[in-house]
């Protein structure tokens, strides 16, 4: 299953699985973790083997487990079957359904359903961890330097932008947030848009989830407004500005994630180019003539 793991021994530790016939096959899509689809009789599960360097990316597997349970309880995440320690192997029930394509994300009915799922998540409960994109980029900078990775020239400009954004935004009421809303993490089960992969989940600002989703899917301005209306009943000037600013912070977080990965990952992936793309996009958005207006309108 993974280097350092005895596949049979690991799966036998899942309650009720010892000695039972099953089949496993790897699932594609993850950059860092290893995911497997396991068939046991008529039931199907997903077994997640975590990346060993997750802690350097700010991932707390206990928090992920708790967030996954809350997400399952509110009907958005998959049912949690087991959490094996000390390896932090997470076992969930497989969600039958269809992937949400890049094209489908832009449909009004999809945006409506994504907003409904985010509403459920943002009221699902509490975990003992906080996510702040402003603190994350600072922590990633420290980790990168400690690993001998030089910060790119764009970092200094991005940091000044982040300071201005943090000063402009109101202090949020913390809610459970996913913080990594890629359409690869969405499954349409025919009724709900289900969301998987809760490793970056924590209590945070719902505006980050909205901005993160928006920028990850290149939503047009009218689509952003529709999303906000579906989520909150209206697209106020403040909520539009907060989404725009958090979209910038989402790119800053992604850029710094790519910087850190250059010092901790042995995968054949161009993390430097990944970081550069996100730095370029965030600087481009911050150069928008409306940036100063967003800063003024974002406050209470």
């Amino acid at each position: 299953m993974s280097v350092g793991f005895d596949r049979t021994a690991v799966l036998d530790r899942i309650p009720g699985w010892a000695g039972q016939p099953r089949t496993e096959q790897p699932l594609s899509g993850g950059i860092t973790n290893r995911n497997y689809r396991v068939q046991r009789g008529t039931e199907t599960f997903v077994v997640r083997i975590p990346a060993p360097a997750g802690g350097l990316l700010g991932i707390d597997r206990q928090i992920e487990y708790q967030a996954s349970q809350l997400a399952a309880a509110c009907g958005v995440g998959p049912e949690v079957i087991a959490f094996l320690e000390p390896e932090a192997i997470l076992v969930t029930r497989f969600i039958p359904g269809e992937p949400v394509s890049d094209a489908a994300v832009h449909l009004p009915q999809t945006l409506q359903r994504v907003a409904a799922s985010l509403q459920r998540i943002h009221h699902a409960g509490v975990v003992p961890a906080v996510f702040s994109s402003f603190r994350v980029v600072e922590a990633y900078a420290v980790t990168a330097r400690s690993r001998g990775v030089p910060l790119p020239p764009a970092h200094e400009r991005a940091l000044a932008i982040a300071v201005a954004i943090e000063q402009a935004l109101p202090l949020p009421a913390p809610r459970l947030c996913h913080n990594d809303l890629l359409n690869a993490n969405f499954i349409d089960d025919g009724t709900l848009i289900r969301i998987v992969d809760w490793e970056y989940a924590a209590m945070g600002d719902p505006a980050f989830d909205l901005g993160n989703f928006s920028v990850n899917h290149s939503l047009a301005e009218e689509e952003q407004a529709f999303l906000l209306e579906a989520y909150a009943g209206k697209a106020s000037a403040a909520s539009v500005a907060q989404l725009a600013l958090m979209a910038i912070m989402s790119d800053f977080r992604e850029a710094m994630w790519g910087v850190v990965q250059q010092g901790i990952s042995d995968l054949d992936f161009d993390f430097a180019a990944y970081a550069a793309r996100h730095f370029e996009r965030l600087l481009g958005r911050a150069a928008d003539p409306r940036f100063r207006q967003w800063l003024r309108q974002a406050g209470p």
Side-chain angles (χ1 to χ4, degrees):
M1 181 173 286
S2 179
V3 176
F5 288 95
D6 181 324
R7 179 176 62 214
T8 300
V10 167
L11 296 184
D12 277 349
R13 287 166 50 202
I14 299 170
W17 285 28
Q20 298 297 311
R22 62 213 168 215
T23 58
E24 309 101 41
Q25 64 182 83
L27 290 171
S28 61
I31 294 178
T32 51
N33 302 316
R34 298 175 185 268
N35 300 293
Y36 298 84
R37 177 173 172 165
V38 177
Q39 191 73 32
R40 180 175 171 268
T42 60
E43 297 183 294
T44 310
F45 306 89
V46 175
V47 176
R48 198 282 324 277
I49 309 295
L56 297 173
L57 296 170
I59 298 170
D60 184 317
R61 298 299 177 184
Q62 278 286 346
I63 297 301
E64 177 191 9
Y65 172 46
Q66 294 177 43
S68 298
Q69 291 178 306
L70 291 175
C74 76
V76 175
E79 179 186 357
V80 177
I81 303 301
F83 182 67
L84 304 182
E85 298 184 277
E87 302 92 342
I89 295 170
L90 184 67
V91 184
T92 60
R93 193 172 297 279
F94 181 82
I95 298 175
E98 297 296 327
V100 179
S101 68
D102 290 331
V105 164
H106 296 270
L107 297 175
Q109 58 266 37
T110 305
L111 294 173
Q112 182 83 38
R113 295 167 72 208
V114 167
S117 292
L118 291 180
Q119 274 281 12
R120 288 190 181 209
I121 289 303
H122 294 161
H123 295 85
V126 176
V127 294
V130 174
F131 174 91
S132 164
S133 56
F134 306 103
R135 305 291 80 79
V136 167
V137 295
E138 293 170 351
Y140 280 176
V142 171
T143 301
R145 291 190 184 100
S146 72
R147 293 278 166 158
V149 181
L151 300 182
H155 173 264
E156 186 174 356
R157 293 172 60 195
L159 189 59
I161 292 165
V163 169
I165 292 174
E166 185 172 20
Q167 290 174 345
L169 288 173
L171 191 65
R175 300 284 187 181
L176 179 65
C177 294
H178 184 277
N179 302 314
D180 192 24
L181 293 168
L182 304 165
N183 67 321
N185 291 331
F186 299 148
I187 300 169
D188 184 349
D189 72 359
T191 301
L192 291 173
I193 299 295
R194 309 288 293 276
I195 306 176
V196 300
D197 192 357
W198 294 85
E199 62 184 0
Y200 293 101
M203 306 305 292
D205 188 344
F208 183 86
D209 263 356
L210 294 165
N212 177 248
F213 173 78
S214 173
V215 72
N216 283 342
H217 300 93
S218 302
L219 296 190
E221 290 184 15
E222 60 270 20
E223 294 168 336
Q224 294 173 21
F226 187 92
L227 176 69
L228 289 169
E229 289 169 1
Y231 178 83
K234 65 177 181 178
S236 66
S239 65
V240 169
Q242 290 166 19
L243 184 152
L245 296 175
M246 282 304 199
I248 293 172
M249 287 307 303
S250 175
D251 270 335
F252 194 5
R253 190 275 297 268
E254 289 298 315
M256 292 304 297
W257 182 90
V259 172
V260 170
Q261 287 281 25
Q262 294 170 53
I264 67 176
S265 178
D266 57 4
L267 294 176
D268 184 17
F269 185 87
D270 193 344
F271 289 109
Y274 181 92
R277 287 196 302 272
H278 285 281
F279 272 122
E280 181 180 5
R281 189 164 66 175
L282 83 86
L283 293 175
R285 287 178 175 270
D288 189 300
R290 295 168 296 177
F291 177 69
R292 294 297 169 188
Q293 176 181 323
W294 293 335
L295 293 176
R296 292 192 299 271
Q297 292 180 335

